[in-house]
Amino acid sequence: MSTVPTTSPDALGFEGTPFDPVAVASPGSGTLPTPVARRAPSQPTGPASTVTPLAELRAGIATAHRAALSAQVALQRRIFRQAFDTGVVTVQALSPARLDAVTTPAPEGAFKPPARTTVDRLDRGALEALSRGEVSAVLGNAYRQPGANPDIRLASDTPLVLDEVTEIGLRAGTLGLGHLRAAYTGNAVAAATQAVEVFALYAGLHLCFADARLVASAAADVGGDDSPTGAELELIVTTIDLVPRPHVTAEVLCGGGGPSVAVTVTVTENPGSVIGPGPGGTLDTWTGRIDAGGGTALLNEFHMAHLARGEQGIALGPEFAHYTGVRATRLPTGGLLLVDRITAFDGARGTLDTQVSYRSEYDSPADSWYYTDSANESMPHFVYMETSLQAALLMGYYLGPTLTEPNTTQSLRNLGGTATVLRRVDLRDRTITQESRLLSTTMLPGSSLQSFDYTLSVDGEPFYEGETMFGYFSDEALANQTGLDAGRHRPSWLDVHANDVTVRRIDLDARRANPADRLCSRRTLALLDWIDVVDGGGTFGNGYLHTRRRIDPHDWFFTRHFHLDPVIPGSLGVESVIQAMQEWAVDSGLADGLTDPVFSIPPGIAFAWKYRGQFLPSDGTCEIEVHIKTVTSSPDGVMVTADASLWKPGLRIYELQDIAIELTERKAPE
């Protein structure tokens, strides 16, 4: 059985500095298994390093950390083994045969595999094909990599002992991270290792590289027999990720008196292979990913994950390596990472005075968390915005505006823009293509500004377009923000008219408690608790909405947006306003005349936003007011437009104009 090289305790690092995810502690030992690499890369040699007090401290921390992991692994094995032996392992049966029929959505932050397949079982012939490297022939066209990864194959250095895989699922298993059941004949540890290799291929982890191999590390529970025959195994995924390298870790329970085996399989690049942009941002070497149109992607999911929370040098090139582990411009992470691949780019790093065009892709699986958490019939508006804005910020940043002052911390902030929905479309299980242009870059002392336009399309047909501006700001520039009103306090409309109006409250708990009510946002997207309404109030006399939201420093989005630089996404501020409008529309009876009402984003309404500040974990509260502008009835339903503002304590920082919602009968979208 093959393993990977271990790292010294001093190699352990945190917040972006990679440590080896492959090393698996032996139960109760506090040590790692002795490794033998399949195809070991050359190792540099040099003089022995001097042991310093800091090195001793780090080594001690590393040893204690690994000992704790050992104890955790042993406890996990005991629980899994006990459940397996008594036949009470909970397996959520989930066949991916039709992704648009998924009933159990992925939670926010769940691992999103680079590829999916309708295959949910593998016979011996399919396993033999995988052992020959015929991955796409078995799993489908989404796994195509013509001419790439000759070393990616099942059981490359051991006899194939799996007989068949009878179940496999991405969202199944006790932990909801993945599950596999298989029959095998032969060595149990080899079978466990091969089962995890199958899962790694099934999840498409190898698709991020053009020249890689599968490297496995396994540690068996010494209480079992490692060589029963004619047995069944059950695999429960415990970790799956793309950083620092694509890897999956699983606990494999072998029947027939076999052991429990902790296995990690990592996709590791072969020596000398290119895994990211070169000096100057050169993109002339394919890194292995095929785009939705069958062409070669320039950057892929692996690079997006590293830009979000890993090594910026891997994501963007060596000039960005010094940003790893420090506060810097990053993509969002987890369920807010909404760009997958860059497929075209005609710019050059350091050339900031010309227009640049680029194209990106985002796959929107039907089980994505935001579909079930939103009151919209399809994708919520904040995802439209984030998909557009993230691709823009990525390529603008790639050109290197922050590299002109490499020793200055610069944070990225969106300043505003306009956007228009062009048509109603269901985006479940679709690939969204974003085509954009960087229109200008303006360098200023302590900051720089970039403006973009963009169009989102699906199947070649545009459905969303707009313009936006981003700024890169030094700490000093961020500290001197004065909001939308030049630092002056502007009271809300309700503050001014509090003694002249009657206020009624919409409490949202009861509606969220009814699982059959599809017209309210819930779970992760439950952004509001209550809404105060002044009927006939507001600037336009058509209704006024007001609420305050408590900001909890532990709110889920702070860990997503951004790594080491937490702020509330501006798009979620927009989503909060939309939710207030939706709740008001239902409470006002606008859905009563509809048989099967749904919310959607109406086409043809140009929406504008302006941000002049950010909500921080320490701000305490977010205040929102909405002025209902128009309520328009038509044979199709009712459309509502509004203007809105958002305050952090003492400062108005967001302004929205012509934000719109629509209530219509459910129908088949375009």
Side-chain angles (χ1 to χ4, degrees):
M1 180 187 55
S2 56
T3 56
V4 296
T6 60
T7 56
S8 69
D10 278 352
L12 187 66
F14 302 94
E15 295 297 348
T17 304
F19 68 95
D20 187 358
V22 177
V24 180
S26 301
S29 67
T31 61
L32 300 174
T34 302
V36 179
R38 285 187 181 175
R39 205 167 121 182
S42 58
Q43 299 293 328
T45 59
S49 60
T50 303
V51 178
T52 65
L54 178 60
E56 290 180 351
L57 177 62
R58 293 183 68 200
I61 293 173
T63 300
H65 180 66
R66 287 177 172 136
L69 288 178
S70 273
Q72 186 178 30
V73 167
L75 178 60
Q76 243 182 3
R77 283 184 175 157
R78 182 174 180 182
I79 294 171
F80 285 148
R81 166 55 64 189
Q82 190 174 37
F84 187 69
D85 289 343
T86 57
V88 295
V89 173
T90 302
V91 177
Q92 304 166 14
L94 176 60
S95 169
R98 281 189 56 81
L99 296 178
D100 59 357
V102 172
T103 56
T104 304
E108 187 281 323
F111 178 75
K112 180 184 175 185
R116 296 192 182 202
T117 179
T118 58
V119 173
D120 56 7
R121 59 188 302 130
L122 301 165
D123 60 18
R124 176 71 183 193
L127 294 170
E128 289 174 348
L130 291 179
S131 73
R132 297 190 296 269
E134 300 169 6
V135 181
S136 63
V138 174
L139 298 178
N141 283 336
Y143 297 77
R144 289 180 60 247
Q145 285 187 297
N149 276 332
D151 293 336
I152 291 293
R153 59 189 66 239
L154 173 64
S156 62
D157 62 354
T158 57
L160 181 63
V161 298
L162 294 180
D163 297 323
E164 66 173 328
V165 172
T166 56
E167 295 177 22
I168 189 168
L170 287 168
R171 304 288 179 222
T174 303
L175 304 179
L177 300 176
H179 170 262
L180 178 150
R181 190 186 297 273
Y184 69 96
T185 303
N187 182 276
V189 176
T193 301
Q194 291 172 16
V196 181
E197 289 180 338
V198 168
F199 197 91
L201 296 174
Y202 176 80
L205 300 187
H206 59 291
L207 298 175
C208 298
F209 292 160
D211 183 23
R213 65 197 189 281
L214 300 181
V215 177
S217 175
D221 185 342
V222 296
D225 178 4
D226 68 355
S227 57
T229 59
E232 184 181 69
L233 62 80
E234 182 150 8
L235 178 156
I236 299 166
V237 175
T238 57
T239 306
I240 185 167
D241 200 358
L242 298 180
V243 175
R245 295 294 185 272
H247 65 278
V248 58
T249 299
E251 192 74 21
V252 184
L253 311 173
C254 300
S260 300
V261 188
V263 182
T264 295
V265 170
T266 300
V267 181
T268 303
E269 69 272 18
N270 282 321
S273 65
V274 175
I275 63 170
T282 54
L283 295 166
D284 51 4
T285 302
W286 181 41
T287 55
R289 193 72 168 105
I290 298 294
D291 63 31
T296 55
L298 302 177
L299 300 173
N300 60 50
E301 293 89 338
F302 174 69
H303 304 101
M304 303 303 108
H306 270 281
L307 181 54
R309 54 191 167 86
E311 296 186 61
Q312 291 219 12
I314 287 177
L316 302 177
E319 297 93 333
F320 286 83
H322 65 285
Y323 289 132
T324 295
V326 301
R327 182 161 57 86
T329 295
R330 292 185 177 273
L331 286 172
T333 187
L336 288 181
L337 176 55
L338 300 171
V339 58
D340 289 327
R341 297 172 293 278
I342 301 299
T343 61
F345 178 61
D346 67 3
R349 180 159 296 162
T351 303
L352 301 172
D353 57 355
T354 60
Q355 289 190 5
V356 175
S357 300
Y358 54 91
R359 185 172 61 248
S360 67
E361 292 180 343
Y362 169 64
D363 301 325
S364 182
D367 68 350
S368 297
W369 65 278
Y370 46 77
Y371 284 117
T372 53
D373 287 4
S374 172
N376 278 13
E377 81 172 316
S378 183
M379 182 178 282
H381 199 167
F382 89 90
V383 182
Y384 279 51
M385 294 181 69
E386 286 293 325
T387 303
S388 309
L389 301 180
Q390 289 178 28
L393 78 86
L394 168 59
M395 296 318 293
Y397 184 49
Y398 189 87
L399 285 172
T402 65
L403 297 178
T404 59
E405 299 181 69
N407 297 320
T408 301
T409 298
Q410 293 194 348
S411 298
L412 180 85
R413 299 293 184 261
N414 185 246
L415 298 176
T418 63
T420 304
V421 173
L422 304 178
R423 62 191 177 99
R424 187 176 168 189
V425 59
D426 190 350
L427 295 166
R428 290 176 177 85
D429 282 336
R430 312 289 284 276
T431 295
I432 298 170
T433 299
Q434 190 253 31
E435 296 184 81
S436 186
R437 295 181 301 168
L438 171 62
L439 303 177
S440 67
T441 300
T442 303
M443 305 301 295
L444 301 168
S447 62
S448 57
L449 306 176
Q450 292 183 321
S451 62
F452 304 82
D453 64 15
Y454 54 82
T455 301
L456 300 187
S457 303
V458 66
D459 297 333
E461 294 293 327
F463 66 88
Y464 191 69
E465 64 182 13
E467 298 182 355
T468 193
M469 176 176 285
F470 281 96
Y472 301 89
F473 299 101
S474 66
D475 291 344
E476 292 76 14
L478 287 179
N480 291 324
Q481 294 178 102
T482 57
L484 289 162
D485 305 300
R488 296 185 300 272
H489 173 64
R490 173 177 164 177
S492 69
W493 184 92
L494 185 58
D495 286 338
V496 173
H497 297 87
N499 297 326
D500 308 321
V501 298
T502 299
V503 177
R504 63 183 178 85
R505 176 160 292 189
I506 303 174
D507 193 321
L508 306 183
D509 287 343
R511 292 205 334 106
R512 290 199 186 115
N514 178 8
D517 190 340
R518 293 180 285 102
L519 294 180
C520 66
S521 298
R522 58 187 82 237
R523 290 178 293 272
T524 308
L525 280 182
L527 301 177
L528 304 174
D529 296 323
W530 51 266
I531 303 160
D532 282 342
V533 178
V534 178
D535 295 312
T539 301
F540 308 102
N542 291 320
Y544 173 84
L545 318 178
H546 180 271
T547 188
R548 278 187 174 87
R549 183 189 188 278
R550 185 176 68 87
I551 296 175
D552 185 339
H554 300 102
D555 281 331
W556 66 273
F557 36 73
F558 285 128
T559 61
R560 310 301 193 198
H561 185 277
F562 301 99
H563 178 60
L564 303 181
D565 184 19
V567 296
I568 296 179
S571 61
L572 288 184
V574 174
E575 191 67 24
S576 298
V577 171
I578 289 174
Q579 289 183 20
M581 295 170 65
Q582 290 173 334
E583 294 296 339
W584 175 82
V586 173
D587 186 75
S588 299
L590 299 186
D592 292 352
L594 301 172
T595 303
D596 188 12
V598 293
F599 280 115
S600 61
I601 310 168
I605 307 296
F607 153 61
W609 69 95
K610 185 185 295 184
Y611 304 149
R612 291 297 183 271
Q614 62 269 309
F615 288 102
L616 303 173
S618 58
D619 278 336
T621 60
C622 166
E623 182 179 4
I624 302 170
E625 74 169 13
V626 182
H627 300 266
I628 302 299
K629 200 169 189 176
T630 64
V631 180
T632 308
S633 298
S634 71
D636 293 328
V638 182
M639 183 176 69
V640 180
T641 67
D643 292 349
S645 292
L646 286 80
W647 282 258
K648 63 189 299 175
L651 206 61
R652 190 173 70 102
I653 61 172
Y654 290 5
E655 183 176 81
L656 314 179
Q657 293 183 328
D658 293 319
I659 186 72
I661 64 169
E662 190 173 31
L663 261 172
T664 62
E665 295 285 4
R666 182 181 298 276
K667 61 182 179 181
E670 295 180 39

